[in-house]
Amino acid sequence: MKKVNTSESSVQAAMPKTLARFDQHQERYYKQLQKLPYFNMVSVVIEEYIRQIVDKGAFCLRVQTDVLESILKDGRLRNKLELSDDVYKGQNKETRKEVTRILFGQDPETLQPWEFHKYGYLTSPDMHRELILNYSLIFQYGSVVMTLRKERMMHRTTLCFGDSLNFGACSHLIPTRTDRIRATCIPGLKHAENALFRMDGIGLYLYIAEKILSNALTVDNFINIEQITEDAPPVFQFIELHYHGLIDLKRDIERMDATVEREEDRAILERVKPQFEALGIPFKIW
């Protein structure tokens, strides 16, 4: 166990391995996008917009209530690849590995389970607004929202528009770093095999730029992107974030907010609340 902790610490200190080849991977794709008509014009609009929402938004993720005690015991957040096959289907693990190759250009076979990225999303820092407008996320991702410390995560977080796992979207986009924005993060050109839908390359970039320029999509309403883009194929459910490297409870979690969806959840929440607060993490039960 001690040996594993030492390895994890070294991963935390260095550049996360999931990003080791990312810049070259993204650069190749960006150059292909730049060959598309109008891309160099609309990319300026999109990149400035992303900078603004990253600056204003909160870096969050959701977990189920019943994993909170395990998180306390571990002192960090685990990703899906670390869970046993009894909890998480092995076939889906293989899919997640391949997505790592497609999105970040990294060979998943060179990674240890704890080195894979974790999924989250960009949302409003107004947690009351987040809990109301993103209520539907409870059923898929969980009723406990963790807000991460942006100053610690900025250099190791990537972003894309929409669910990268949905309908093979990852085959048509490459995320952007949140601290170095590039408009590669909207479905466009196909760059991987087995894509499940066809895109015309520039179509969704033009669509998003038009939404921004017409003020339909603003810095204040990006949390409503699912409704704003409901006429687009595919619909963007949220602005997805990928967190690279370990997420440590004491250092990386800014606050936690939970809603009581089942009566049995209440006892768990009330039991773990003082334990998280003892670590310096504000914990609110709504």
Side-chain angles (χ1 to χ4, degrees), residues 6-7 103 109 122 167 176 199 203 245 251 267:
T6 300
S7 299
L103 288 181
E109 300 307 321
L122 187 72
F167 298 109
T176 178
M199 299 297 303
R251 293 181 292 179

Side-chain angles (χ1 to χ4, degrees), residues 63-72 268:
V63 299
Q64 304 287 346
T65 302
D66 55 11
V67 304
L68 292 176
E69 290 173 310
S70 294
I71 291 172
L72 278 167
I268 298 175

Side-chain angles (χ1 to χ4, degrees), residues 112-128:
Q112 296 296 325
W114 61 81
E115 293 175 318
F116 284 86
H117 62 285
K118 301 165 190 68
Y119 289 88
Y121 61 105
L122 187 72
T123 189
S124 171
D126 179 347
M127 196 49 55
H128 184 254

Side-chain angles (χ1 to χ4, degrees), residues 67 80 83-90 93:
V67 304
K80 301 295 187 184
L83 301 181
S84 68
D85 288 344
D86 292 337
V87 177
Y88 198 75
K89 300 298 183 182
K93 285 185 178 182

Side-chain angles (χ1 to χ4, degrees), residues 40-214:
N40 290 326
M41 289 190 296
V42 298
S43 63
V44 174
V45 174
I46 292 168
E47 288 170 2
E48 178 57 28
Y49 177 74
I50 296 172
R51 288 188 193 97
Q52 292 176 17
I53 62 175
V54 165
D55 181 65
K56 181 165 184 175
F59 286 17
C60 291
L61 57 81
R62 285 176 176 262
V63 299
Q64 304 287 346
T65 302
D66 55 11
V67 304
L68 292 176
E69 290 173 310
S70 294
I71 291 172
L72 278 167
K73 181 180 178 182
D74 294 336
R76 65 176 181 85
L77 273 62
R78 293 183 180 271
N79 64 62
K80 301 295 187 184
L81 274 296
E82 296 181 81
L83 301 181
S84 68
D85 288 344
D86 292 337
V87 177
Y88 198 75
K89 300 298 183 182
Q91 183 178 359
N92 288 334
K93 285 185 178 182
E94 294 306 312
T95 298
R96 295 244 172 178
K97 286 182 179 180
E98 187 57 27
V99 167
T100 300
R101 187 192 308 275
I102 293 170
L103 288 181
F104 308 114
Q106 180 58 285
D107 180 358
E109 300 307 321
T110 67
L111 302 176
Q112 296 296 325
W114 61 81
E115 293 175 318
F116 284 86
H117 62 285
K118 301 165 190 68
Y119 289 88
Y121 61 105
L122 187 72
T123 189
S124 171
D126 179 347
M127 196 49 55
H128 184 254
R129 188 168 181 238
E130 148 65 19
L131 292 173
I132 292 174
L133 295 181
N134 278 328
Y135 185 78
S136 63
L137 297 183
I138 286 174
F139 305 103
Q140 187 172 357
Y141 301 107
S143 59
V144 181
V145 180
M146 292 186 169
T147 301
L148 306 187
R149 297 185 187 279
K150 195 185 295 186
E151 69 275 11
R152 281 190 52 83
M153 302 304 300
M154 184 70 78
H155 70 288
R156 54 192 178 100
T157 298
T158 52
L159 171 154
C160 68
F161 279 56
D163 186 341
S164 63
L165 299 177
N166 204 22
F167 298 109
C170 57
S171 298
H172 294 273
L173 63 84
I174 289 176
T176 178
R177 290 179 180 267
T178 52
D179 61 349
R180 195 187 73 176
I181 305 298
R182 282 196 162 181
T184 57
C185 52
I186 296 169
L189 292 176
K190 180 177 178 294
H191 63 90
E193 299 301 322
N194 302 321
L196 299 182
F197 61 89
R198 293 180 178 273
M199 299 297 303
D200 66 355
I202 194 65
L204 278 179
Y205 281 91
L206 291 170
Y207 173 85
I208 292 296
E210 189 279 327
K211 292 290 186 183
I212 296 167
L213 292 171
S214 67

